[in-house]
Amino acid sequence: MSSTEVNLKQGLRKLEYPICAKEALYKIFDLICSRITSIKNMDLALDLMAEFVFYEVDRRGHKRAQQLSSLQELQLIKILYEYFNSISSESGRNTVFLSLFSGTTLSLRLGILTKFISTAIGIPSSKILSSASAWMQQLGNASPNSCKFAEGIIQDYFYFYVSSTEKITVLPQISPQFTANFMTAVAENYFNTTNKRDVCFPPKVLLETITLWISESTSLCVAAQQKQAMLPPGAIAMEATTPIAGLLKWCILSPIFKQENTFYNNLHLALLNSIMEIPKAVPPKAIYAQHLTVSINPILAYVNDLKNRQEKKLDQILHEDSLQLALDRFAQAIQVISSVNAMYGHVDDLFHQLKLLPFNKLMSIVLNNYKNKVVIL
C-alpha cells in the first residue's frame, strides 16, 4: 500500500461516522471518475466503500461484529441523497452508483439501497432514480437482485405506508425509465408458477397503480428502451426488458387462479393499447417471444387439474369460463403484438407451443393467420 493510500485512510479514520462516509464518497468519485482510472484506484475505492461508507469492515479488512445502527443508516441515506443530487454528470453519478451497489456486494447493501431509493421516490429525485434505473438494467431488470429490490419498494409503498401511495402514483412523471424497469421486476414477483404452492398475487393497490400508470401513458412500458443510460467509458449498456410480457402473464393467468376482477381487465386493455403504440424498430426489440410462453404451462396444468381432480369431461373443460377468458386474453395479446411487429426471438417456437393449448376460437384464428403469413413469405 502506497503512502498516499495510507495517509488517505488514516485521515478518514480520524473522522466520526457519518462524516467519514461523506468525505469518503468524494474521494471515491475522484478515484473512479477521473480521466485516467486504474485497477489500483478501483481497489482503493472499493476499500473506502466497505470501511468508511457502509461500515462493513474494520481497518484490517475484517468483518465488523457490529453493523450500522438504525440511526447511522438514516444518516448514511441522507448523505447519499445529498451526494448523488450534487453530481451534475450523469455518467459520473451512474459510475459511483454502480460501484457502491455492485452485484457482488448487494446482499450486504440491499436494505440500505431500498431505503435510499424509497427516499428518492418520497422526496422526488429524478437524478437518483435515473441512476437506479441504469443499475437495474446493468444487473438485468428481471434478475433476482432487481426483483428483491423491487419487492422492498413494494413493501414500503404498498404494504407499510399505503397512505403514501400518492407519492408513487406520480413516479412515471419523475422518472419514466425507472418506472418501466421497476414494473419489469415487479411483474416477475407475482403469478410466478415455478412453485405452484407459493404463487403470489399483487396487492390490489399495486395492481391499481400499475394499471393507472399504463393507462395514462401508453409509451411508459418501452420508456427504458427509448433512452440509453450514460455509463462509464468502455461499459456495455444492457438492453432493457419491457414489462409487457410479465404483466400480460398476470392478465392471462388471473382467471384460472380465481384472481379475476375489473382491474385485470383494465390492465389488459391498457397493455393492448400500449402495444399498439410501440414505435417500429428494425429488428423488433419490445417483447421477447420466449417470455410469452411462460403462460402456457400453467394453463395446461389447470386443464389437467380440471380433468383429474374435478373429473370433468373434455367438452365441459373446453367451455369452462375461466379457461376461455384466459385463452381469449392470450390470443388478443398475440394478435396485437404480431400486428405491430413488436416481437423478437424464437417466434416460430412460440406459435408451435400455442398449438398445445386447448381449443379457443380466437386463438385458432390467430394461429391460422400466422400460418398463412409464413406460407406467403
Side-chain angles (χ1 to χ4, degrees):
M1 187 181 294
S2 69
S3 59
T4 303
E5 293 175 37
V6 172
N7 291 337
L8 173 57
K9 289 185 177 182
Q10 286 181 344
L12 290 171
R13 286 170 186 148
K14 293 177 183 178
L15 302 173
E16 294 291 329
Y17 196 89
I19 302 303
C20 62
K22 184 176 182 179
E23 293 301 315
L25 285 169
Y26 291 108
K27 299 295 183 183
I28 289 166
F29 184 91
D30 292 339
L31 288 167
I32 65 178
C33 296
S34 59
R35 289 186 178 181
I36 302 175
T37 58
S38 65
I39 294 176
K40 187 177 180 180
N41 282 356
M42 178 56 75
D43 287 342
L44 176 56
L46 295 175
D47 288 347
L48 298 183
M49 294 173 198
E51 183 177 348
F52 301 105
V53 177
F54 296 104
Y55 210 64
E56 295 161 346
V57 300
D58 60 22
R59 64 177 61 205
R60 295 180 179 83
H62 299 149
K63 183 179 178 181
R64 290 185 189 271
Q66 188 173 357
Q67 301 298 307
L68 294 175
S69 66
S70 297
L71 175 59
Q72 288 172 324
E73 272 197 3
L74 286 174
Q75 291 172 327
L76 175 57
I77 289 165
K78 181 176 183 291
I79 287 170
L80 288 170
Y81 184 93
E82 293 173 348
Y83 171 74
F84 278 99
N85 268 330
S86 71
I87 302 175
S88 58
S89 165
E90 182 184 350
S91 175
R93 195 167 57 245
N94 291 346
T95 300
V96 177
F97 195 103
L98 289 166
S99 298
L100 286 173
F101 301 105
S102 66
T104 56
T105 60
L106 191 61
S107 60
L108 296 171
R109 301 171 185 175
L110 182 61
I112 291 173
L113 172 63
T114 302
K115 293 169 187 173
F116 174 39
I117 301 306
S118 285
T119 302
I121 293 170
I123 309 172
S125 169
S126 59
K127 286 183 177 181
I128 294 172
L129 293 177
S130 176
S131 290
S133 179
W135 171 84
M136 291 185 79
Q137 274 184 232
Q138 291 307 105
L139 266 67
N141 56 358
S143 68
N145 282 331
S146 290
C147 291
K148 288 177 184 176
F149 161 73
E151 184 58 32
I153 301 296
I154 291 168
Q155 290 293 325
D156 281 354
Y157 280 95
F158 297 98
Y159 285 103
F160 297 151
Y161 308 114
V162 178
S163 60
S164 300
T165 51
E166 71 276 3
K167 296 286 186 180
I168 207 164
T169 300
V170 297
L171 191 59
Q173 299 166 34
I174 302 164
S175 180
Q177 290 78 28
F178 173 80
T179 308
N181 283 325
F182 173 70
M183 286 195 298
T184 299
V186 168
E188 291 296 306
N189 288 340
Y190 300 100
F191 285 95
N192 187 331
T193 58
T194 304
N195 188 339
K196 190 176 180 181
R197 292 182 180 179
D198 297 321
V199 177
C200 295
F201 309 111
K204 181 182 176 183
V205 66
L206 174 62
L207 181 59
E208 291 175 357
T209 302
I210 290 178
T211 301
L212 176 67
W213 283 346
I214 299 173
S215 298
E216 291 186 343
S217 175
T218 54
S219 62
L220 182 61
C221 287
V222 295
Q225 292 188 336
Q226 302 305 303
K227 182 179 182 294
Q228 200 66 261
M230 297 291 291
L231 298 174
I236 300 174
M238 303 302 291
E239 187 70 74
T241 299
T242 71
I244 296 172
L247 294 176
L248 281 172
K249 176 187 65 178
W250 292 11
C251 303
I252 293 165
L253 298 184
S254 63
I256 65 175
F257 280 100
K258 311 309 176 188
Q259 294 295 308
E260 188 53 31
N261 60 49
T262 55
F263 282 106
Y264 284 108
N265 192 51
N266 293 340
L267 175 59
H268 184 63
L269 178 60
L271 286 167
L272 295 182
N273 288 332
S274 178
I275 293 165
M276 292 178 68
E277 298 298 323
I278 291 175
K280 293 190 182 300
V282 181
K285 61 177 183 177
I287 304 163
Y288 183 44
Q290 199 62 29
H291 291 163
L292 293 168
T293 65
V294 173
S295 298
I296 294 176
N297 282 338
I299 294 175
L300 295 176
Y302 177 71
V303 171
N304 285 331
D305 186 61
L306 290 177
K307 189 186 304 180
N308 299 329
R309 297 181 65 181
Q310 299 187 27
E311 297 181 349
K312 287 189 175 183
K313 295 180 180 180
L314 182 60
D315 185 61
Q316 291 176 298
I317 293 172
L318 290 178
H319 291 88
E320 208 263 346
D321 290 342
S322 296
L323 173 62
Q324 286 301 314
L325 178 57
L327 293 171
D328 279 343
R329 287 182 178 171
F330 207 165
Q332 288 165 2
I334 297 297
Q335 179 58 34
V336 174
I337 292 168
S338 299
S339 69
V340 297
N341 193 31
M343 193 177 350
Y344 68 99
H346 304 291
V347 178
D348 286 342
D349 182 59
L350 166 65
F351 278 88
H352 177 74
Q353 292 190 55
L354 290 174
K355 294 176 183 177
L356 302 174
L357 292 169
F359 177 81
N360 171 267
K361 187 174 182 180
L362 183 56
M363 184 65 80
S364 67
I365 295 171
V366 172
L367 291 172
N368 283 330
N369 286 344
Y370 181 74
K371 180 181 177 181
N372 293 334
K373 180 181 176 183
V374 171
V375 170
I376 293 172
L377 292 175

